[in-house]
């Protein structure tokens, strides 16, 4: 067994990686400057929680076999500098995971949106059909103890992120995996802080397609003309499988998937999810899973955490939480909810939290993304902006960017809570969107009192 140290162990994937390595019997240590829940409790239960927050170069010695570097760690990190001084092997987590999966059949789900949901759908089907497989996914899923698994299984399923691998490895994570089966769900500009132009962002996916081994299967959403054009640049030595959305019957109380005349009830909804399901169906074909077995297996899939997750229902009122933060995700999620609940009043509470969304040169990408909502409360945490060392966007710039004059803007948790309490009873469907914490607002605990009539 190896001695492994994780720098930035508190990250969502990194702490799951630590748990997976610990389960294999490796000697695992780690550190971080801040460790939040649920990572803190999960690491503590496994005996892996650092004794204190912060960096300790003295924890490293020449007997450490490998140091795994999380994206949160900066190039001047004192533990990283110590590891370099000692000549230790340093790897980013995608680089390390490829080493663990390189002799397996690898399925990678990539794209600007829908990666986590599509990966979760595929994992659900495989588990229901009793496949043995390893995985790497960006959200906690029902039925899976961790977000990372290493075993003797011959199949691995990976969510492929286009963000940078680490401060030492500036390649997109997806370039490490070289899958035999790849999915690209679509392209929409994101991660402005590392891809300052549309062309540079598209370049990450061009490189990903170029990295696919000869004869690999590339499953892609052909309704995205940018993606289709990119695929055409390299098509002669790949197995290309285009897909579109699946057919469904959408009603307020149920969604019915239709496959060649056979109906399968679903617990998820929205045209973006029907597109994701179409990609999963194509992967299943590649793995020898019949259409009927796919339809039966997906019926009880409820979605990944914070992906159109129903937090509370009170009579006809519903409150949903969704991780959507980029413009394409915001638009797709709002559209899905508005179409599902036609004629019902929809309140959207959107937090801008990422470097991209808080950047004045990127904010115009949100134009018309919230058109389907009846009202929008926009939250930008002034403390989070300060921590990111960014300038606070001016209200008139935000209003112009979104293209709606009725948007209400809050900058503190207190302002946000007051505005929610003023508005929430006027709406039937409430949708929280964003990757932040809404200033530490406990949405799950508050939902019942908010919706009480």
């Amino acid at each position: 067994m190896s001695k492994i140290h994780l720098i930035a162990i508190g990250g969502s994937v990194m702490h799951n990686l630590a748990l997976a390595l610990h389960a294999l019997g490796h000697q695992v240590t780690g550190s971080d400057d801040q460790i939040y829940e649920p990572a803190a409790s999960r690491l503590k239960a496994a005996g892996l929680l650092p004794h204190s927050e912060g960096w300790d170069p003295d924890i490293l010695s020449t007997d450490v076999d490998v140091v795994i570097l999380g994206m949160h760690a900066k190039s001047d990190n004192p533990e990283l500098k110590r590891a370099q001084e000692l000549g230790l092997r340093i790897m980013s987590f995608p680089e390390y995971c490829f080493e663990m999966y390189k002799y397996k059949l690898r399925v990678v789900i990539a794209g600007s949106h829908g990666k986590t949901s599509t990966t979760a759908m595929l994992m659900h089907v495989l588990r229901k059909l009793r496949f043995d497989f390893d995985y790497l996914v960006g959200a906690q899923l029902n039925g899976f103890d961790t977000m990372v698994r290493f075993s003797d299984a011959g199949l691995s399923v990976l969510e492929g992120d286009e963000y940078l691998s680490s401060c030492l490895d500036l390649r997109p994570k997806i370039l490490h995996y070289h899958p035999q089966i790849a999915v690209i769900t679509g392209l929409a500009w994101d991660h402005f802080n590392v891809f300052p132009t549309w062309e540079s962002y598209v370049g990450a996916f061009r490189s990903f397609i170029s990295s696919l081994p000869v004869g690999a299967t590339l499953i892609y959403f052909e309704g995205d003309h940018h993606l289709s054009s990119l695929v055409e640049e390299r098509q002669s030595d790949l197995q290309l499988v285009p897909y579109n959305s699946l057919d469904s019957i959408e009603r307020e109380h149920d969604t019915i998937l239709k496959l060649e005349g056979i109906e399968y009830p679903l617990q998820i909804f929205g045209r973006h999810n029907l597109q994701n399901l179409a990609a999963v169906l194509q992967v299943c074909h590649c793995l020898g899973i019949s259409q009927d077995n796919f339809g039966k297996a997906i019926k009880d899939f409820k979605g990944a955490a914070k992906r159109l997750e129903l937090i509370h229902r009170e009579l006809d009122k519903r409150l949903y939480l969704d991780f959507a933060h980029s413009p394409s995700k915001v638009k797709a999620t709002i559209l899905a909810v508005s179409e599902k609940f036609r004629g019902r009043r929809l309140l959207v509470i959107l937090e801008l939290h990422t470097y991209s969304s808080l950047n004045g040169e990127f904010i115009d990408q949100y134009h018309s993304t919230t058109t389907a909502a009846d009202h929008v409360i926009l939250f930008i945490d002034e403390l989070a902006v300060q921590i990111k060392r960014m300038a606070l966007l001016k209200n008139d710039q935000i209003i112009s960017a979104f293209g709606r004059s009725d948007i209400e803007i809050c900058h503190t948790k207190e302002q946000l809570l007051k505005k929610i309490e003023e508005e929430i009873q006027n709406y039937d469907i409430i949708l929280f969107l964003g990757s932040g914490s809404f200033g530490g607002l406990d949405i799950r605990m508050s939902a019942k009192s908010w919706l009480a009539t």
Side-chain angles (χ1 to χ4, degrees):
M1 293 294 105
S2 300
K3 187 174 183 180
I4 303 172
H5 182 72
L6 286 80
I7 301 178
I9 196 173
S12 59
V13 172
M14 287 289 282
H15 89 270
N16 277 276
L17 178 58
L19 295 172
L21 293 171
H22 177 69
L24 289 179
H26 294 296
Q27 184 180 344
V28 178
T29 59
S31 55
D32 214 320
D33 54 356
Q34 290 181 310
I35 301 179
Y36 299 103
E37 295 295 347
S41 294
R42 301 182 76 209
L43 289 171
K44 184 177 181 179
L48 300 178
L49 184 67
H51 296 301
S52 60
E53 291 185 337
W55 313 111
D56 179 14
D58 292 335
I59 199 172
L60 292 166
S61 57
T62 55
D63 63 343
V64 172
D65 295 292
V66 62
V67 173
I68 301 177
L69 185 61
M71 188 59 214
H72 170 61
K74 306 303 181 186
S75 58
D76 61 354
N77 183 283
E79 291 184 7
L80 173 57
K81 286 182 172 295
R82 179 63 172 159
Q84 291 171 320
E85 291 169 1
L86 293 173
L88 299 178
R89 188 183 187 194
I90 302 169
M91 306 176 75
S92 64
F93 87 75
E95 184 180 9
Y96 183 86
C97 287
F98 175 73
E99 286 298 309
M100 299 295 285
Y101 296 143
K102 66 181 179 181
Y103 297 117
K104 303 174 185 288
L105 173 61
R106 295 176 302 284
V107 179
V108 171
I109 312 296
S112 305
H113 38 247
K115 293 186 293 291
T116 301
S117 293
T118 305
T119 308
M121 290 171 180
L122 177 58
M123 289 171 57
H124 177 87
V125 170
L126 294 176
R127 183 176 62 86
K128 290 284 289 186
L129 298 178
R130 302 185 182 280
F131 275 67
D132 187 20
F133 63 100
D134 287 347
Y135 51 81
L136 168 64
V137 64
Q140 195 62 51
L141 308 179
N142 291 331
F144 296 89
D145 294 332
T146 62
M147 295 156 56
V148 180
R149 185 191 187 220
F150 302 128
S151 74
D152 294 329
L155 171 66
S156 59
V157 176
L158 298 86
E159 178 182 349
D161 184 5
E162 69 272 20
Y163 202 76
L164 307 183
S165 299
S166 76
C167 62
L168 298 184
D169 184 353
L170 301 183
R171 291 172 293 174
K173 296 184 182 78
I174 48 177
L175 299 191
H176 287 285
Y177 300 139
H178 308 288
Q180 298 94 330
I181 300 173
V183 173
I184 304 180
T185 60
L187 302 180
W189 192 15
D190 199 0
H191 306 308
F192 180 82
N193 56 316
V194 296
F195 300 112
T197 65
W198 163 250
E199 290 75 18
S200 64
Y201 182 73
V202 171
F205 290 94
R206 177 179 286 110
S207 297
F208 175 58
I209 294 172
S210 297
S211 74
L212 299 178
V214 172
T217 297
L218 175 57
I219 300 165
Y220 67 99
F221 177 57
E222 68 175 343
D224 185 326
H225 68 275
H226 293 296
L227 175 57
S228 294
S229 297
L230 205 60
V231 171
E232 289 175 2
E233 295 178 13
R234 182 195 173 185
Q235 54 180 327
S236 60
D237 60 353
L238 297 177
Q239 300 294 322
L240 299 182
V241 182
Y243 70 89
N244 283 292
S245 183
L246 296 178
D247 293 331
S248 70
I249 303 170
E250 196 77 68
R251 296 186 288 253
E252 179 172 324
H253 298 292
D254 58 11
T255 299
I256 306 297
L257 173 65
K258 297 184 67 176
L259 296 174
E260 296 182 357
I262 302 176
E263 298 185 352
Y264 304 89
L266 298 176
Q267 298 194 39
I268 54 174
F269 63 89
R271 65 175 72 175
H272 64 303
N273 274 326
L274 271 297
Q275 288 178 10
N276 296 338
L277 280 177
V280 175
L281 178 57
Q282 294 301 330
V283 176
C284 287
H285 286 332
C286 294
L287 297 178
I289 298 171
S290 71
Q291 185 168 272
D292 187 51
N293 282 338
F294 161 79
K296 291 175 179 176
I298 202 64
K299 289 194 298 184
D300 58 353
F301 175 72
K302 296 181 179 179
K306 298 183 181 179
R307 270 66 178 185
L308 260 182
E309 181 181 357
L310 179 61
I311 301 299
H312 186 71
R313 178 176 178 179
E314 192 80 21
L315 299 178
D316 287 336
K317 291 180 178 290
R318 293 175 174 84
L319 188 151
Y320 289 91
L321 176 63
D322 195 278
F323 190 74
H325 54 85
S326 68
S328 62
K329 296 173 185 176
V330 168
K331 184 174 183 177
T333 304
I334 293 176
L335 185 62
V337 174
S338 66
E339 290 179 342
K340 179 73 171 178
F341 301 102
R342 293 185 187 277
R344 310 285 295 280
R345 288 182 57 75
L346 170 60
L347 171 64
V348 169
I349 301 157
L350 169 64
E351 178 176 11
L352 298 186
H353 178 75
T354 64
Y355 283 96
S356 297
S357 65
L358 296 171
N359 194 296
E361 296 182 43
F362 185 83
I363 189 71
D364 288 341
Q365 301 295 316
Y366 285 90
H367 196 277
S368 302
T369 56
T370 66
T371 302
D374 292 291
H375 190 54
V376 176
I377 299 173
L378 185 71
F379 178 58
I380 300 179
D381 189 341
E382 58 186 12
L383 294 177
V385 174
Q386 290 173 13
I387 291 172
K388 287 181 168 68
R389 299 179 184 177
M390 300 180 72
L392 191 65
L393 295 169
K394 296 186 181 301
N395 286 4
D396 58 352
Q397 182 181 11
I398 296 170
I399 290 169
S400 174
F402 275 81
R404 58 184 305 163
S405 59
D406 63 335
I407 196 168
E408 297 191 82
I409 303 168
C410 303
H411 291 113
T412 67
K413 175 184 174 180
E414 292 72 26
Q415 291 175 354
L416 177 61
L417 182 58
K418 182 174 184 293
K419 185 56 61 178
I420 291 172
E421 291 174 342
E422 289 174 355
E423 297 283 358
I424 203 164
Q425 284 297 331
N426 299 322
Y427 298 88
D428 307 303
I429 312 298
I430 297 88
L431 177 59
F432 280 83
L433 293 177
S435 59
S437 66
F438 295 90
L441 190 64
D442 196 331
I443 297 170
R444 297 177 190 275
M445 287 293 293
S446 303
K448 185 175 182 178
S449 61
W450 285 339
L451 298 189
T453 55

